């Protein structure tokens, strides 16, 4: 019997990894995770379904907007 039980990775672990790599140096891993979570809940609210590819597209748009806002603030 195992003393340590590992949690199953989220269905969006790969999405987070891709976006963390894509936005490295622009956004922290925490920001990427928050955007993926927001995208997940947004997709569920609007469509009732949150396929990882849809969550990835929504989260990427969030991250682009956040980068734009940060660049405008200077």
């Amino acid at each position: 019997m195992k003393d340590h039980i590992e949690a199953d990775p989220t269905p969006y672990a790969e999405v987070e990894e891709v976006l963390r790599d894509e936005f490295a140096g622009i956004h922290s891993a925490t920001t990427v995770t928050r955007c993926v979570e927001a995208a997940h809940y947004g997709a569920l609210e609007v469509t009732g379904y949150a396929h990882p590819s849809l969550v990835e597209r929504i989260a990427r748009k969030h991250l682009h907007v956040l980068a734009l806002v940060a660049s405008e603030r200077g």
Side-chain angles (χ1 to χ4, degrees):
M1 191 165 145
K2 286 185 173 182
D3 291 333
H4 177 73
I5 298 173
E6 291 184 30
D8 290 335
T10 69
Y12 307 112
E14 286 182 30
V15 170
E16 286 186 39
E17 184 178 338
V18 166
L19 293 175
R20 274 195 305 268
D21 289 346
E22 185 175 332
F23 289 92
I26 301 168
H27 296 303
S28 69
T30 302
T31 299
V32 171
T33 298
R34 287 181 182 159
C35 284
V36 169
E37 289 172 354
H40 164 81
Y41 291 113
L44 283 177
E45 272 188 36
V46 173
T47 67
Y49 187 64
H51 190 273
S53 66
L54 177 59
V55 170
E56 181 177 349
R57 289 193 319 245
I58 295 168
R60 181 175 283 112
K61 288 190 183 286
H62 288 178
L63 292 162
H64 279 294
V65 169
L66 289 174
L68 179 63
V69 169
S71 72
E72 288 180 353
R73 288 185 184 169

